[in-house]
Amino acid sequence: MRTTAIILAAGQGTRMKSKLPKVLHKVLGKPMVQWVIDCLIAAGVTDKITVLGHGAEQVATVVAEQTSIVYQTEQLGTGHAVMQGVKALGTENDCVIVICGDTPLLQADTIKSLLAKHNAEKNMVTVLTAQASDPTGYGRIVRNGAQIEAIVEQKDATEDQKNITEINTGTYCFNQAFLLKYLSELNTDNAQNEYYLTDLIKIANQYGLPVGGFQLNDFSESLGVNNRVQLSQAEQILRQRKCQEVMMSGVTLIDPATTYIGADVVIGADTIIYPNVLLDGKTIIGNDNVIGMNCRIVDSKIGDRNDIQSTVIVESTVGSDCKIGPMAYLRPGTELADKVKVGDFVELKKSSVGYGSKIPHLSYIGDATVGENVNVGCGSITCNYDGINKYQTIIKDGAFIGSNTNLVAPVVVEEKAFIGAGSTITKNVPADTLAVVRGELRTKEEWSKHQATKKK
Ligand code: UD1
Ligand code: CA
């Protein structure tokens, strides 16, 4: 059975009150329409067409690689959107899934079950439905016995129909030949003067063609996001889902309620995550790590057995067996080898730090290459910027940088060089030497008495 999906994403999403097209609003760090695309891919639906209208250019940047695109220049309703979508259908299709770009919670298994039922019953259309505790706003499923007779929109419903709690999720399977033949019979004779896709159910029944339904167990899966309250509901559900997934795969979350793990984050077994942690983007975390409270790690790769406390790490790489934080900041382009210590109030940027090196307190290291087993004393910094350009600092293996050293780049500290505390280093330091740049100590005797006489 060859299946193509048409994703409806042309609507403005007026109720979002946003500059951003609705389907680009992110849930768990991923645009809503991308959730829909990923769900279809996971369900094995390879051919996809997206109907774009409002904000088409912006939406296209997200969907163009993975789906074909058609345009609906005027938004005259879901039926009208599908009329545009079918223009891109191949002829060898059997089945067409129609799905909305604003339903990020739908799961691949649901799409598979819907398709299976559709095919088994040889329906012309099969509707994905759900039982809602509050059906307000959704189209209602009107049944005669078990048979679905019609879908009635909220605005067109009679008082009796408004009491129906079974709703249309906005996802359907159509027989392609049926869809192509009967779309033209839709009209705008309704409360919203729109072409309702849902009228195809009534039309199929008029011709005595088989219509089916597949009801979801879990209403929350069908949540359509129309405003920011629903956006936050979707966010909460997907966040819980992701937390459960990582816990089931062997990760300890001390407090899932305050743990944010982005959709694409991967975490190894026996890693323990403390409260108030945010892991996002393409982050990959290995096994046996401790991620302490208040960490934010984005687009970074973390090895195994690290201990990371109250730290921000962005676009960086950390090896294994490192100790980081509290209050460290690894900015983009930081690469730590194994067994590195980066202590409190240390900022690193575009720098690599070799095996076993330590930067324990109060440092800024930018545009630097730090070798193995280097010790950078408290308060030492690289002066990498002269106001116009950035320059490199190279600290080679085994060097010892005394506390409060300023390394004025470009500068090289050779192997096992030793820099005395408080030095400002403006020239390269040869290997194995001691370098000290410091004013001589001067004393004035009996200074305190002198001060005392001045006070009188
Ligand atoms: C629609 C259904 C309703 C269902 C609900 C589920 C119809 C007539 N109604 O109502 O039965 O319960 O979804 O969430 O189909 N779109 C276009 N072009 C248009 C109009 C809409 O692409 O001209 C897209 C929107 O971008 C959106 C989707 O279609 O992704 C649904 O549109 P929306 O206006 O949210 O429909 P609902 O009123 O929610
Ligand atoms: Ca909707």
Side-chain angles (χ1 to χ4, degrees), residues 8-11 72 75-78 81 100-101 138-139 153 168-169 196 198:
L8 306 187
Q72 185 196 22
Q75 282 72 53
L76 305 178
T78 49
C100 297
Y138 290 94
E153 293 305 300
N168 169 26
T169 64
Y196 288 169
T198 43

Side-chain angles (χ1 to χ4, degrees), residues 184-254:
S184 58
E185 295 201 11
L186 296 180
N187 60 46
T188 57
D189 192 7
N190 54 54
Q192 302 183 82
N193 294 314
E194 286 182 0
Y195 293 98
Y196 288 169
L197 181 66
T198 43
D199 284 348
L200 281 174
I201 283 70
K202 193 175 59 192
I203 292 169
N205 280 312
Q206 278 164 8
Y207 289 95
L209 298 168
V211 173
F214 176 74
Q215 200 183 90
L216 273 173
N217 292 323
D218 179 8
F219 168 75
S220 69
E221 238 194 85
S222 64
L223 183 77
V225 174
N226 294 321
N227 58 45
R228 308 236 189 187
V229 174
Q230 288 168 328
L231 184 70
S232 77
Q233 287 164 351
E235 181 81 41
Q236 195 186 357
I237 293 165
L238 282 172
R239 198 168 56 74
Q240 281 168 358
R241 246 192 229 168
K242 181 71 183 186
C243 284
Q244 272 169 24
E245 178 195 311
V246 303
M247 288 189 281
M248 293 311 281
S249 72
V251 177
T252 295
L253 303 185
I254 304 285

Side-chain angles (χ1 to χ4, degrees), residues 312-381:
V312 175
I313 301 179
V314 181
E315 292 170 38
S316 293
T317 308
V318 172
S320 293
D321 303 296
C322 295
K323 274 183 89 67
I324 304 176
M327 320 297 175
Y329 184 13
L330 275 54
R331 290 169 52 201
T334 299
E335 287 178 29
L336 306 187
D338 295 345
K339 291 216 166 150
V340 169
K341 176 173 168 79
V342 175
D344 49 284
F345 305 103
V346 172
E347 175 180 338
L348 294 163
K349 185 216 74 171
K350 271 195 198 159
S351 294
S352 64
V353 181
Y355 176 91
S357 290
K358 295 184 170 70
I359 312 172
H361 340 264
L362 301 161
S363 283
Y364 169 63
I365 302 294
D367 303 303
T369 305
V370 179
E372 296 182 358
N373 297 309
V374 168
N375 190 87
V376 177
C378 175
S380 294
I381 61 163

Side-chain angles (χ1 to χ4, degrees), residues 7-13 15 22-23 51-53 72 74-82 99-103 135 137-141 151-156 167-172 190 192 194-199 222-226:
I7 304 168
L8 306 187
Q12 185 173 11
R15 291 163 281 180
K22 175 163 81 172
V23 296
V51 183
L52 300 182
Q72 185 196 22
E74 260 187 304
Q75 282 72 53
L76 305 178
T78 49
H80 183 256
V82 172
I99 190 166
C100 297
D102 62 356
T103 51
Y138 290 94
R140 308 297 206 284
I141 305 293
I151 298 175
V152 180
E153 293 305 300
Q154 171 87 24
K155 288 182 179 150
D156 302 282
I167 58 103
N168 169 26
T169 64
T171 306
Y172 325 77
N190 54 54
Q192 302 183 82
E194 286 182 0
Y195 293 98
Y196 288 169
L197 181 66
T198 43
D199 284 348
S222 64
L223 183 77
V225 174
N226 294 321

Side-chain angles (χ1 to χ4, degrees), residues 19-31:
K19 295 184 290 297
L20 194 67
K22 175 163 81 172
V23 296
L24 293 189
H25 279 264
K26 287 182 180 176
V27 188
L28 213 60
K30 186 154 95 177

Side-chain angles (χ1 to χ4, degrees), residues 400-403 405 407 413 417-421 423 425 429 433-436:
F400 183 97
I401 313 296
S403 293
T405 294
L407 296 161
V413 178
F418 193 107
I419 296 175
S423 297
I425 302 295
V429 180
T433 56
L434 167 68
V436 190

